Amino acid sequence: MAASNEPVDAAALAALRPGMPVSAVEKAMGSAWRTLAPHKGGIIDILENTHGVIVRIDRKGLVGKIDFNSRFEHTIAGVPMGISLDDLRTTVPDMQIGSKVRRATRFGKKQLPEGELSVRITYDTVYEIEISNPDAEYAEPTAPPYPAASGAPGAPFSDPNLKLAVMSSLLYAKALDLGTPQQLASHVLGRTVDLEKDGDELIPEALDYLTRYPLSDEQLAAVERIEFDGSGAIYPFAWYFWGGEEGVFDVRDISGIRFCPNLKSISVNSMIDKVDIRALVPLKTLQRVSINVPSENIEALLDLPSLRTAGRFPPNPVTREIFEELARRGVQVN
């Protein structure tokens, strides 16, 4: 359950320090807060992909570590995210900055009263900031509780691969917890699996489990963006080292996308040969459509009441009038 109706407080996130109670994290996260999952070892990563923050709680129930990535475009302990190396030396003169260690990356360190501040500097720019208590002890993360697979492959979608794309969206939004690909593979195979050695091939048992994973109405309602692209987060769970060349995950029917009633953005870069825009008409909240593959029935864009951006459609003189009408309606056409 969410702690409040308040939005995420970036200033409060930037002020988090080791030794603070969990309640400080809860307050900073506002309505994004969810009760700690026992199996995650104190890791709070709900905001990782949206705000760029991961917090870890130690065995004492206190903040042990806060990691900020480049999505968190704020100042932490006097260090602005994205600051250049030269400006960092001037802004934080007491920071110890090491030599390059790999791929133009180096690290800087500074002792704070609450713990150690560490920054990762790549190509002379700060891209990651961490504050940690080096003496903190943490519980080990374990696999999440996996629900039993049920229903037909893909349900409620007619195309199982559309379901995988939806699950990718849920993983990105931290609204679905599958553990790690190795944990899932070990679960479905009933034995310990090392995907570094055994991840070169598709695991049929993992694919079957994923396509029959029971998604709740609440999870489907939480899907706000879907991107059809081979880099989706879900695919390593079925084929760890999939290179993207094989068409095993291609989507052939997107009509089931209507089961995501709050979808706001859809982007098609690959994995679909042709998109029928009519399949999007039931999506009354859809604001952004970006299609970079052949499409048909483009006039259906005119039936999307919330559309604000329509872009990356392959050029087609026949559709010129449609896009001119969209532009007259205030839709940004790219």
Side-chain angles (χ1 to χ4, degrees):
M1 296 293 291
S4 70
N5 293 321
E6 294 300 317
V8 173
D9 187 337
L13 289 173
L16 291 175
R17 297 291 184 270
M20 287 184 171
V22 176
S23 59
V25 185
E26 180 178 352
K27 183 176 181 180
M29 290 179 61
S31 59
W33 170 261
R34 298 177 207 146
T35 302
L36 279 172
H39 67 275
K40 292 184 72 72
I43 297 173
I44 305 174
D45 59 356
I46 300 167
L47 298 179
E48 178 183 9
N49 295 324
T50 55
H51 293 75
V53 181
I54 299 176
V55 180
R56 190 161 189 188
I57 305 301
D58 66 16
R59 289 185 179 274
K60 297 179 180 179
L62 303 174
V63 173
K65 180 190 302 183
I66 315 101
D67 185 271
F68 303 89
N69 66 36
S70 58
R71 289 186 177 90
F72 192 79
E73 299 176 347
H74 303 276
T75 297
I76 303 102
V79 181
M81 184 68 73
I83 192 173
S84 69
L85 176 59
D86 288 342
D87 288 342
L88 178 65
R89 294 185 193 276
T90 302
T91 304
V92 192
D94 55 342
M95 178 170 287
Q96 299 176 354
I97 300 174
S99 302
K100 294 178 182 178
V101 291
R102 64 181 185 279
R103 294 184 181 180
T105 296
R106 68 181 80 202
F107 294 90
K109 295 186 181 297
K110 176 185 175 180
Q111 194 63 40
L112 301 177
E114 309 91 344
E116 184 177 82
L117 172 70
S118 175
V119 301
R120 178 174 62 84
I121 307 160
T122 303
Y123 294 110
D124 294 340
T125 302
V126 171
Y127 283 106
E128 185 176 356
I129 302 172
E130 178 188 283
I131 304 176
S132 64
N133 172 11
D135 298 322
E137 296 181 358
Y138 305 98
E140 283 296 319
T142 59
Y146 290 109
S150 62
F157 308 96
S158 58
D159 189 326
N161 286 339
L162 174 58
K163 181 173 184 175
L164 294 181
V166 169
M167 293 175 76
S168 261
S169 176
L170 290 169
L171 284 171
Y172 183 86
K174 305 294 183 178
L176 175 65
D177 187 0
L178 296 175
T180 66
Q182 187 156 304
Q183 288 171 337
L184 179 72
S186 298
H187 170 73
V188 299
L189 295 175
R191 58 179 174 82
T192 301
V193 177
D194 183 354
L195 290 179
E196 293 297 327
K197 297 179 180 178
D198 302 320
D200 290 326
E201 302 293 335
L202 175 72
I203 301 176
E205 295 87 348
L207 180 59
D208 177 71
Y209 178 78
L210 293 171
T211 60
R212 296 195 302 120
Y213 187 96
L215 294 178
S216 67
D217 290 342
E218 182 180 8
Q219 286 173 313
L220 293 174
V223 178
E224 294 189 349
R225 59 186 294 271
I226 295 178
E227 183 172 355
F228 294 92
D229 189 280
S231 63
I234 193 68
Y235 304 116
F237 285 88
W239 190 340
Y240 192 62
F241 286 123
W242 179 55
E245 293 82 10
E246 299 81 357
V248 64
F249 300 123
D250 283 357
V251 178
R252 292 174 174 80
D253 180 8
I254 68 167
S255 61
I257 204 167
R258 67 185 185 278
F259 292 112
C260 302
N262 297 316
L263 192 67
K264 295 180 179 178
S265 172
I266 180 171
S267 175
V268 182
N269 298 316
S270 60
M271 306 184 76
I272 301 179
D273 290 336
K274 181 179 288 187
V275 175
D276 186 346
I277 303 300
R278 289 179 302 183
L280 308 180
V281 172
L283 302 171
K284 303 306 179 184
T285 63
L286 191 61
Q287 298 177 4
R288 178 180 179 271
V289 176
S290 178
I291 309 292
N292 203 33
V293 301
S295 53
E296 59 185 2
N297 298 307
I298 295 180
E299 68 276 5
L301 290 171
L302 298 170
D303 297 322
L304 299 175
S306 300
L307 189 65
R308 297 292 178 268
T309 303
R312 298 185 63 191
F313 284 85
N316 184 343
V318 178
T319 63
R320 182 179 303 168
E321 290 185 5
I322 297 171
F323 288 104
E324 288 177 351
E325 173 59 25
L326 288 171
R328 283 193 292 269
R329 296 182 181 185
V331 176
Q332 181 180 346
V333 178
N334 298 329

